[in-house]
Amino acid sequence: EFLEFEYSHGRLRYANNSNYRNDSLIRKEMWIGPLVVKELKHIIQASEITKEDDANWPKKNIVGKQELEIRIGNDHIAFETTKIGSLVDIQDGEDPEGLRVFYCLIISLNSLHFKIKPI
């Protein structure tokens, strides 16, 4: 399973491969304007995810992994951790605050709705 967003030069691509109800890979692509790009950057920057470090986060395991790679301006950061089902899953770790930031950003990005036809 994976969820992927990729933005480059005005084009936003979305891919969702989920086993939910035996769905197949969903791909969508759209062109977005400067205001949407500005809001996406705002969501990412407001989360302060670029200040986090995944060194003390749980490592991927048999359940799976979650990855996030962000490039904004001169910042380029990548994270990897085990799959997180809910906020309860992060409370007992070595860095619950960093994982909370990661999880909440993922939820924010996932909540974006794309009402366009798949490619």
Side-chain angles (χ1 to χ4, degrees), residues 19-67:
N19 291 330
Y20 179 72
R21 295 186 182 174
N22 295 320
D23 279 346
S24 60
L25 180 64
I26 299 168
R27 291 183 187 267
K28 297 181 181 185
E29 182 177 306
M30 69 185 102
W31 292 93
I32 59 176
L35 289 176
V36 175
V37 172
K38 183 178 176 181
E39 185 59 25
L40 286 171
K41 284 182 180 180
H42 173 74
I43 290 169
I44 293 166
Q45 290 168 336
S47 76
E48 297 187 334
I49 190 69
T50 56
K51 295 180 180 178
E52 300 302 330
D53 184 347
D54 65 356
N56 292 322
W57 295 0
K59 304 301 179 212
K60 65 182 179 181
N61 58 26
I62 196 162
V63 175
K65 66 180 176 178
Q66 287 181 276
E67 296 176 299

